[in-house]
């Protein structure tokens, strides 16, 4: 059983049944677009199985996927829909596009959904282990930022790095507070994969969760996925000033890309992180490159 089996309607599970078990486990995303056949993302490449090509998806198909992800009711996930995504059980993330219903400049809901991106969390246990000798030089893993373009596995690597620290695998064991705003790092059963010393605060704004963990759980390490707002950066600066190691992710494939965005320029200038891990795709394989925190001018 894959993580998405509990959040997909029957028609979609039947379509996926044409894939051999090994291929199903390698699928990273499903892409559903009204009027077009189902496609799947594997190793960074989006492909459509021959059995799917004669079956374009309908508006009703997409509606059923959203309802199933919401446990049978769109109303239960309305707040998440306003953010353009839904986090379903098991950390499965469903991104949405279509025609928005807007009032006073704020998105209230969707009148029509035309595209869905269903991202499947993968427990790739052990992928962080080979990086630890480069990260931990004998004084523990320092504050580390994981970077890559979208879809290359930042969250997956962060999850396994948390597991290593929480379990003491390849490094000294540490208490890790996890600010899991979208429920993708440690929601539900995923929490057990983070190890025995991880404390997870789900579905709470990231900046607020970081401060709550810092005050209430005495963490030695704080982890959060995707720095996206100035308040996230301020919370991390506060935590760094309290002697806590930080683990986080951000979108960007190079120093130059990071500098294009004011938030990330401020992040680099703050000097919070001592190590950076860049993820790239080469020949269909992910490559992890560790760099020290001295950012080139």
């Amino acid at each position: 059983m894959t993580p998405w089996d509990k959040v997909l309607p029957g028609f979609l599970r039947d379509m996926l049944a044409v894939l051999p078990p090994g291929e199903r486990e390698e699928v990273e995303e499903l892409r559903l677009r009204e009027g077009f056949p189902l496609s799947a993302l594997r190793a960074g490449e989006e492909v459509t199985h021959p059995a799917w090509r004669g079956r374009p998806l309908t508006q009703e198909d997409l509606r059923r996927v959203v309802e199933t992800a919401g446990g049978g009711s769109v109303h239960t996930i309305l707040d998440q829909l306003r953010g353009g995504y839904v986090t379903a059980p098991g950390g499965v993330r469903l991104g949405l596009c279509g025609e928005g219903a807007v009032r006073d400049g704020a998105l209230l809901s969707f009148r029509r959904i035309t595209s869905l991106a269903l991202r499947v969390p993968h427990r790739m246990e052990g992928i962080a282990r080979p990086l630890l000798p480069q990260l931990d030089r004998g004084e523990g893993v320092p504050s580390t930022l994981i970077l890559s373009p979208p879809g290359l596995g930042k969250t997956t690597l962060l999850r396994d790095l948390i597991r290593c620290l929480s379990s003491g695998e390849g490094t000294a064991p540490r208490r890790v507070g996890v600010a899991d705003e979208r429920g993708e790092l440690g929601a539900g059963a995923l929490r057990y994969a983070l190890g025995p010393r991880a404390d997870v605060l789900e579905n709470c704004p990231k900046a607020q969760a970081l401060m709550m963990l810092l005050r209430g759980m005495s963490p030695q390490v704080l982890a959060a996925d995707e720095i996206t707002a100035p308040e996230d950066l301020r919370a991390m600066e506060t935590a760094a000033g309290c002697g806590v190691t930080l683990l986080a992710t951000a979108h960007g494939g190079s120093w130059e890309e990071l500098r294009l965005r004011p938030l990330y320029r401020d992040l680099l200038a703050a000097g919070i992180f001592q190590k950076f891990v860049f993820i790239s795709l080469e020949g269909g394989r992910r490559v992890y490159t560790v760099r020290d925190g001295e950012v080139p001018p």
Side-chain angles (χ1 to χ4, degrees):
M1 180 177 288
T2 60
W4 58 45
D5 283 323
K6 294 182 179 180
V7 300
L8 294 186
F11 85 90
L12 204 47
R13 292 199 301 271
D14 291 341
M15 294 177 72
L16 291 172
V18 303
L19 298 177
E23 289 187 19
R24 288 191 71 189
E25 293 173 3
E26 293 174 354
V27 171
E28 298 159 2
E29 288 188 19
L30 297 176
R31 308 304 297 248
L32 301 89
R33 301 176 178 95
E34 181 189 2
F36 295 91
L38 174 69
S39 62
L41 200 68
R42 295 173 57 204
E45 182 180 2
E46 187 174 337
V47 296
T48 296
H49 191 278
W52 304 338
R53 291 174 185 165
R55 205 298 198 180
L57 299 167
T58 66
Q59 178 66 205
E60 176 64 15
D61 291 332
L62 271 62
R63 185 191 63 79
R64 288 170 62 191
V65 172
V66 175
E67 283 191 354
T68 304
S73 170
V74 173
H75 295 290
T76 63
I77 54 173
L78 187 58
D79 286 341
Q80 290 191 67
L81 283 173
R82 293 184 182 117
Y85 70 91
V86 173
T87 302
V92 176
R93 184 179 184 185
L94 186 65
L96 304 95
C97 277
E99 180 187 357
V102 178
R103 180 184 298 165
D104 298 328
L107 178 67
L108 299 180
S109 185
F110 284 88
R111 291 193 179 95
R112 178 184 178 89
I113 296 173
T114 56
S115 296
L116 298 174
L118 196 150
R119 184 177 300 176
V120 183
H122 284 76
R123 286 181 56 180
M124 298 176 65
E125 192 166 304
I127 59 170
R129 182 67 177 83
L131 302 179
L132 289 174
Q134 300 176 70
L135 295 174
D136 186 350
R137 300 294 189 180
E139 299 180 356
V141 173
S143 292
T144 300
L145 184 65
I146 300 169
L147 301 125
S148 84
L152 289 192
K154 294 184 295 297
T155 302
T156 302
L157 179 60
L158 176 60
R159 189 184 298 116
D160 198 54
L161 187 56
I162 293 169
R163 182 193 63 82
C164 286
L165 269 67
S166 172
S167 303
E169 181 179 314
T171 186
R174 310 291 292 276
R175 293 187 304 277
V176 186
V178 182
D180 194 8
E181 181 175 2
R182 295 191 306 268
E184 293 184 87
L185 283 170
L190 285 175
R191 177 172 59 85
Y192 301 107
L194 297 180
R197 298 176 183 85
D199 301 299
V200 182
L201 183 53
E202 296 179 39
N203 300 323
C204 177
K206 201 178 297 105
Q208 183 179 349
L210 288 168
M211 292 298 95
M212 291 172 65
L213 288 163
L214 183 64
R215 297 180 187 120
M217 301 305 295
S218 63
Q220 296 165 296
V221 179
L222 280 174
D225 200 15
E226 293 190 15
I227 300 171
T228 57
E231 53 267 30
D232 300 343
L233 177 56
R234 290 194 294 269
M236 291 200 159
E237 288 180 307
T238 298
C242 296
V244 176
T245 296
L246 299 170
L247 305 176
T249 68
H251 289 308
S254 66
W255 302 122
E256 291 73 22
E257 289 183 12
L258 289 179
R259 290 195 183 95
L260 291 175
R261 284 161 285 181
L263 176 66
Y264 290 162
R265 284 201 301 270
D266 293 343
L267 177 68
L268 296 177
I272 294 172
F273 295 98
Q274 289 79 55
K275 294 283 186 177
F276 296 84
V277 180
F278 286 87
I279 308 176
S280 57
L281 196 64
E282 298 180 12
R285 297 179 63 253
R286 287 172 176 79
V287 176
Y288 304 96
T289 304
V290 178
R291 297 181 182 174
D292 290 327
E294 187 170 339
V295 182

